[in-house]
C-alpha cells in the first residue's frame, strides 16, 4: 500500500466534507463544523496545521435524516451501528473507500474497512438540572464502557504489546462478569435506547452523550438554531453563530497557539491508499 502524506489526508477529508455539505444543502439539513475543526476555521481558516481532523455535529433529527440518506449511497462508506456489526463508536464515520487507516493500538477493535473519514456526531437532549446531567452521563458512560469491553479483546487495547497482554489477563474477569449480564449487542442497545430519553425538541440543553460529563460538552440547544457560514480551506461551511461562546468554553483563549511540544496530532492511525 502507498502511504499518504498529511496534506493528502487533509484533501481527502475535505472532499468528504464538501460531499456532506452538498447533501445537507439539497435536503435542508443543518450541521455545524465543530470541535477542533471549528477552532481551525476561526484561527487558521482551515485545518489546524498539525492535524487532519474534521468533525461535524447535528441535532438528532437532522442527524438521523442524514444517516438514512448516506446509508443508501455508495460514494463513500458509512460506518455506524446501523450499517456495521460490532461498531465501537457512539457517532458515525463517513469513510473514503480507496484509503485504509492502520491503528497504532493493539486490540483496537477498528472496522477492517476504516479509511480516511469525517466524524458525524449526534447531539441529544439533556435534563436541565446539572445533577441529573451528571447522573445521566455516568449511566451512559457505563453502557459505553460495557459495550466496548464486551467487544472481543478491545478491553485490552493499548499502544504496546506488553501492556495489552497485561490488560488481557488483568481485565478478563471483568469482561466475563459483564458477559453474564449480556453481550456486546445487549450493552450497545442499552446505550442506543437510553440516548433518546430526553427529546431534543423539548430540551434546553444538549450535547454528544459521550462527552456530557465534561463542562465543555454541554451546550444550550438554542445555539443550534442559528447558523452562519465560515471559511475553511477556501470553502464555506456551516457552523453555529455562537461559535465564539463555544470556542471560549472549550479552549479558553482559543486564538493563542499551544506550546510547540503540543502542536501534534493525537490521531492513532497511519494512512494509506489501498
Amino acid at each position: 500500500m502507498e502511504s499518504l502524506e498529511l496534506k493528502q489526508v487533509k484533501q481527502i477529508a475535505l472532499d468528504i466534507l464538501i460531499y456532506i455539505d452538498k447533501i445537507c444543502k439539497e435536503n435542508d439539513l443543518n450541521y455545524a463544523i465543530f470541535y477542533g475543526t471549528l477552532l481551525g476555521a476561526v484561527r487558521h481558516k482551515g485545518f489546524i496545521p498539525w492535524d487532519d481532523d474534521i468533525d461535524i455535529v447535528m441535532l438528532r433529527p437532522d442527524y438521523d435524516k442524514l444517516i438514512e440518506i448516506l446509508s443508501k449511497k455508495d460514494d463513500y462508506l458509512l460506518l455506524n451501528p446501523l450499517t456495521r456489526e460490532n461498531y465501537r463508536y457512539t457517532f458515525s464515520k463517513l469513510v473514503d473507500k480507496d484509503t485504509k487507516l492502520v491503528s497504532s493500538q493493539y486490540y483496537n477493535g477498528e472496522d477492517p474497512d476504516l479509511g480516511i473519514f469525517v466524524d458525524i456526531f449526534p447531539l441529544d437532549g439533556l435534563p436541565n438540572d446539572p445533577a441529573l446531567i451528571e447522573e445521566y452521563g455516568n449511566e451512559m458512560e457505563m453502557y459505553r464502557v460495557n459495550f466496548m469491553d464486551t467487544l472481543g479483546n478491545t478491553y485490552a487495547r493499548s499502544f504496546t504489546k506488553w501492556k495489552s497482554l497485561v490488560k488481557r489477563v488483568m481485565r478478563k474477569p471483568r469482561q466475563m462478569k459483564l458477559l453474564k449480564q449480556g453481550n456486546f449487542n445487549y450493552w450497545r442497545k442499552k446505550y442506543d435506547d437510553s440516548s433518546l430519553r430526553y427529546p431534543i425538541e423539548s430540551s434546553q440543553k444538549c450535547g454528544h452523550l459521550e462527552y456530557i460529563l465534561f463542562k465543555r460538552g454541554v451546550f444550550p440547544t438554542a445555539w443550534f438554531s442559528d447558523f452562519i457560514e465560515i471559511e475553511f480551506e477556501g470553502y464555506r461551511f456551516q457552523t453555529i453563530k455562537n461559535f465564539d461562546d463555544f470556542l471560549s468554553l472549550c479552549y479558553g483563549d482559543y486564538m493563542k497557539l499551544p506550546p510547540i511540544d503540543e502542536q501534534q496530532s493525537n490521531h492513532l492511525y497511519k494512512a494509506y491508499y489501498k
Side-chain angles (χ1 to χ4, degrees), residues 185-198:
N185 291 325
Y186 170 85
W187 293 110
R188 180 83 219 196
K189 190 174 189 303
K190 285 278 192 183
Y191 184 95
D192 292 340
D193 289 348
S194 298
S195 68
L196 304 177
R197 184 175 303 164
Y198 298 96

Side-chain angles (χ1 to χ4, degrees), residues 7-23 47 52 54 75-76 94-96 99 116-118 232-233 235 237 273:
K7 64 179 182 181
Q8 294 173 295
V9 174
K10 289 180 177 181
Q11 183 59 58
I12 294 169
L14 178 62
D15 290 341
I16 301 173
L17 179 58
I18 293 169
Y19 177 82
I20 293 172
D21 175 74
K22 181 175 182 292
I23 290 176
F47 287 99
D52 57 8
I54 293 184
D75 304 271
Y76 291 95
L94 193 62
V95 172
D96 180 273
T99 61
I116 296 169
F117 57 83
V118 166
F232 184 88
E233 296 295 330
Y235 296 85
F237 298 104
Y273 275 125

